Amino acid sequence: MENTYEDNLISIDKKDYKGYLSYLPVEDSNWVLVGYIPVEEYMVSINQITFIFIIVSLMLLGTFSVFLLLQNKYMFRPIIELSNAISDIDIKKNEFRRIPLKEHDFLYELKWTLNSLFEKVETYFKEISFKKMEKDEAYKKLKRNFDVFIKSYSKIVDMKDPYTSGHQNEVACLAEEIGKRLNLSSEEHEGLKIAAVLHDIGKLRIPTEILNKASGLSELEYEMIKEHPVKSCELLSDIDFDQPVKEIILQHHEKVNGTGYPNGLTGEEILLQARILCVADVVKAMSSHRPYRPAFKIEEVLEYIKENAGILFDERVVKACLDIFNEGFKFNREDCEKKNDSI
């Protein structure tokens, strides 16, 4: 006999006995319990155990597969469907679709709760949309009234100074075209346009006899004229503009070399809109008749601003202005008035 295992299992290979012996000593005695199994029965047992293991493994695998299929059908698929249903909802377009509800759906309560939430959100958005419409309408009404106020102010200036009648609207037209060439934003563009239409309202505080004086102005009278940008800002002091309209008006007689008024600003210290308004104002003023001088030809005016580009006037603004006139721009009072109907 050969002991081939340390766990008391002995292999027997005799002529009439082939198999395995297993023994176990009995405690506190000299006895030993011995069991014998022929090799044929042992192999049958091993095969049975292997067969049972395979069967159990297949059953477990089958059960796991069925579990996965059921999980996919009753858990994963409903979650994916729920996710897709939520993705189909377009809040920006205010299209709140509802999630389809099915009985015996383990997500039924969640879907019902989400649908209730969507209904509340949709109601909220409709209320906001309605209030926004009311607000927009109120803003449009206020804007219309503001436009009327600005145009009324402009007409009052025209009435006081008939020689410059329509001047502000025509300056606004040219300034607007220059602003387009220099790629002003829509907000900056609107601010420039309002400033151009109102830039001379300070003349309301200057005596008419000085504004319409046929002879040359005295030094004192000229100083009074130079006060009109400041007086314009004083008249507009209580109005809260979205853009620096008052600053543009205050600076529209400043020159890039510092020789302008009222503050002697230079270069980039002057707002771009003010530099644009300055050129547009000079071109229109010089090309118009005044009590003390006849109008200059437009060619002479353009040559003047060209010679003073980088000295009195911003070079980019002058170039844009010259390009506009080279392309056929002309002052037209009626067209400019129509163009400025909505500031």
Side-chain angles (χ1 to χ4, degrees):
M1 292 186 297
E2 180 182 1
N3 191 341
T4 58
Y5 299 94
E6 295 182 356
D7 55 355
N8 299 333
L9 186 64
I10 300 173
S11 174
I12 297 176
D13 188 7
K14 294 294 184 181
K15 182 178 180 181
D16 297 325
Y17 299 96
K18 291 184 179 181
Y20 296 93
L21 280 178
S22 179
Y23 65 92
L24 180 66
V26 178
E27 293 183 359
D28 301 326
S29 70
N30 295 323
W31 291 85
V32 177
L33 294 178
V34 178
Y36 169 73
I37 180 171
V39 67
E40 295 83 2
E41 294 183 15
Y42 177 78
M43 294 305 299
V44 169
S45 298
I46 293 297
N47 291 337
Q48 287 178 339
I49 293 172
T50 302
F51 177 76
I52 292 172
F53 175 78
I54 293 173
I55 294 298
V56 171
S57 298
L58 290 174
M59 290 177 63
L60 289 174
L61 182 60
T63 302
F64 183 69
S65 299
V66 172
F67 173 76
L68 288 179
L69 290 174
L70 294 175
Q71 191 178 47
N72 179 63
K73 181 177 180 181
Y74 295 104
M75 183 175 293
F76 293 144
R77 190 180 300 170
I79 291 175
I80 293 173
E81 290 175 353
L82 174 60
S83 176
N84 292 335
I86 294 175
S87 298
D88 289 338
I89 297 173
D90 193 339
I91 295 179
K92 289 184 178 180
K93 293 183 179 179
N94 201 19
E95 295 178 359
F96 289 87
R97 301 178 184 176
R98 299 296 180 264
I99 299 173
L101 295 177
K102 299 178 182 178
E103 294 185 359
H104 309 298
D105 185 349
F106 86 102
L107 293 176
Y108 181 90
E109 293 294 332
L110 175 59
K111 292 180 179 178
W112 185 89
T113 302
L114 287 173
N115 281 341
S116 299
L117 176 62
F118 292 148
E119 288 178 5
K120 292 179 181 179
V121 173
E122 183 176 21
T123 302
Y124 175 72
F125 266 82
K126 287 180 178 178
E127 290 176 354
I128 289 180
S129 179
F130 180 73
K131 290 179 180 179
K132 185 177 183 299
M133 289 175 61
E134 290 184 326
K135 185 178 179 181
D136 289 345
E137 188 59 36
Y139 174 78
K140 289 178 182 177
K141 185 176 181 180
L142 180 63
K143 182 73 166 56
R144 287 193 297 269
N145 292 334
F146 185 62
D147 291 348
V148 171
F149 157 76
I150 291 176
K151 286 182 283 187
S152 298
Y153 241 143
S154 181
K155 289 178 181 178
I156 292 171
V157 175
D158 289 345
M159 291 172 62
K160 181 162 185 179
D161 186 6
Y163 286 99
T164 60
S165 178
H167 169 80
Q168 295 182 117
N169 278 324
E170 291 174 284
V171 169
C173 277
L174 178 54
E176 182 179 6
E177 293 300 320
I178 296 173
K180 289 178 181 177
R181 295 297 179 104
L182 298 182
N183 298 318
L184 294 185
S185 68
S186 58
E187 292 80 9
E188 291 171 333
H189 194 83
E190 183 178 9
L192 171 61
K193 196 172 181 181
I194 294 173
V197 172
L198 295 176
H199 74 277
D200 275 342
I201 65 169
K203 290 182 178 180
L204 291 173
R205 291 188 173 181
I206 297 174
T208 305
E209 58 270 20
I210 295 178
L211 291 175
N212 299 329
K213 190 174 181 180
S215 60
L217 298 174
S218 68
E219 186 176 344
L220 178 60
E221 290 169 337
Y222 183 57
E223 289 300 321
M224 291 178 67
I225 291 287
K226 287 166 62 176
E227 285 292 313
H228 79 272
V230 176
K231 295 184 182 299
S232 296
C233 290
E234 289 175 354
L235 287 171
L236 300 172
S237 60
D238 293 331
I239 302 177
D240 185 16
F241 295 97
D242 291 334
Q243 283 288 309
V245 172
K246 286 172 279 190
E247 290 81 355
I248 297 170
I249 292 174
L250 182 65
Q251 298 176 9
H252 81 277
H253 278 292
E254 300 285 359
K255 301 298 187 292
V256 294
N257 65 355
T259 59
Y261 60 85
N263 296 314
L265 301 179
T266 62
E268 296 295 325
E269 292 178 338
I270 309 168
L271 293 173
L272 176 58
Q273 293 107 309
R275 283 176 264 156
I276 293 172
L277 181 53
C278 175
V279 170
D281 188 35
V282 167
V283 171
K284 178 55 188 170
M286 290 184 66
S287 61
S288 302
H289 177 74
R290 290 292 183 267
Y292 50 87
R293 62 155 176 82
F296 290 94
K297 294 180 181 179
I298 191 63
E299 293 80 11
E300 296 174 320
V301 176
L302 296 179
E303 184 62 29
Y304 171 76
I305 64 169
K306 182 179 180 181
E307 290 176 353
N308 286 281
I311 302 172
L312 300 179
F313 313 115
D314 184 285
E315 291 181 296
R316 291 184 302 152
V317 175
V318 170
K319 182 181 184 307
C321 182
L322 294 175
D323 290 343
I324 290 167
F325 276 94
N326 287 335
E327 293 172 11
F329 177 87
K330 292 181 180 180
F331 289 112
N332 185 302
R333 183 175 299 183
E334 291 183 3
D335 289 344
C336 289
E337 286 180 357
K338 291 178 182 179
K339 204 170 186 181
N340 295 325
D341 275 344
S342 179
I343 301 300

